[in-house]
Amino acid sequence: MTGILVFAPHPDDETLGCGGSIAHHIAMGRSVNVVFLTSGEQGVAGVAGERAGALREREAELAVGKLGLAGENTHFLRLPDGGLDPGDREQFLSVLRLVRRLQPAVVYLPHATDAAHDRSNAQDLWIDLGLNAKGVPSRVID
């Protein structure tokens, strides 16, 4: 296992939550990947979901690019914004496949007590991965 994985429920969660750490790890030459669980399609008032999701993804790519992250290290799972569900088998498997492929040594998560629905469910999804799947790293920073 090598590298850092930032587990972001929505675009901007990675930068607001640990942007400084992302930039630091990249500056130290470490491999960093950011996975956006949703595209944040509910996060743009007055803009339809698909269009809003595309806009938020582009903004996220620009933001992590400013932190030094290469495009191939940015992943969008496009799970439903506002609908992260740790009990959903398809969501669980889509995250598990990516984690197994990337094999991170360290994972950054939203804090467990974050009141936002998708952020707290992202934490629960990670816990389920750790309890139910082999090959999931145990060093987690929230």
Side-chain angles (χ1 to χ4, degrees), residues 49-72:
E50 189 173 312
R51 197 166 139 237
L55 174 65
R56 299 282 311 271
E57 285 186 15
R58 182 67 187 132
E59 291 171 345
E61 290 168 338
L62 292 170
V64 296
K66 295 282 186 190
L67 298 174
L69 192 71
E72 66 269 10

Side-chain angles (χ1 to χ4, degrees), residues 13-123:
D13 288 337
E14 81 299 339
T15 302
L16 296 173
C18 59
S21 294
I22 292 170
H24 173 74
H25 287 301
I26 291 169
M28 297 300 293
R30 297 179 184 124
S31 172
V32 177
N33 283 275
V34 174
V35 59
F36 295 96
L37 299 175
T38 78
S39 298
E41 62 271 14
Q42 293 184 23
V44 183
V47 178
E50 189 173 312
R51 197 166 139 237
L55 174 65
R56 299 282 311 271
E57 285 186 15
R58 182 67 187 132
E59 291 171 345
E61 290 168 338
L62 292 170
V64 296
K66 295 282 186 190
L67 298 174
L69 192 71
E72 66 269 10
N73 294 58
T74 305
H75 312 274
F76 294 94
L77 293 183
R78 298 182 178 99
L79 301 175
D81 189 8
L84 288 183
D85 179 0
D88 182 290
R89 180 171 170 73
E90 290 307 312
Q91 290 185 24
F92 176 87
L93 291 174
S94 65
V95 173
L96 179 61
R97 282 189 291 271
L98 183 66
V99 169
R100 283 188 172 157
R101 183 167 56 87
L102 297 175
Q103 298 186 3
V106 176
V107 178
Y108 284 82
L109 296 170
H111 195 272
T113 61
D114 192 313
H117 174 76
D118 279 344
R119 291 187 198 108
S120 62
N121 279 349
Q123 176 76 238

